[in-house]
Amino acid sequence: SDGSIRLHQMTSEYPLMQWNGSTKGQPIIALQWALTRPAVFFALDASSNIYIWDLLENDLLPVAKQTIPSERVVTMTLLGEPEKANGLLGIVLAKESGQIDIQYVKKKWALP
């Protein structure tokens, strides 16, 4: 609820890493690992900002931020085929109106 993200290992109650204020205090409403690239995850905050984290490129801050300006995004999920090496990765956004939007991610964050 405060925008912090914690990375846990299943064998410990303590986080391996923690990022406080990663969304400037906005609650995170969805977070998902990339299906095609294990070091990348996406976070959606309550202000319809999507943050892309690539832990191999930068483990302190997100590598990109994209604001969805048209209307509020209420949730997101990722689509892709991890067993294929084509690097195709998409973000499915569900908007407040019920509209679904699919955006494809740049190859540099999608390729295995």
Side-chain angles (χ1 to χ4, degrees), residues 35-104:
L35 301 170
T36 57
R37 189 174 171 101
V40 174
F41 66 90
F42 298 78
L44 171 68
D45 74 13
S47 294
S48 299
N49 295 304
I50 298 171
Y51 300 85
I52 302 172
W53 292 77
D54 183 344
L55 299 179
L56 296 177
E57 186 177 327
N58 187 342
D59 64 357
L60 298 176
L61 300 167
V63 294
K65 175 185 167 186
Q66 178 68 49
T67 301
I68 309 299
S70 55
E71 67 179 284
R72 195 167 87 82
V73 177
V74 294
T75 193
M76 75 168 186
T77 192
L78 299 177
L79 59 90
E81 298 176 293
E83 63 279 356
K84 292 187 179 177
N86 63 7
L88 198 59
L89 180 66
I91 302 176
V92 181
L93 305 171
K95 297 185 177 181
E96 198 167 39
S97 66
Q99 180 182 6
I100 301 293
D101 188 18
I102 299 174
Q103 298 185 7
Y104 286 96

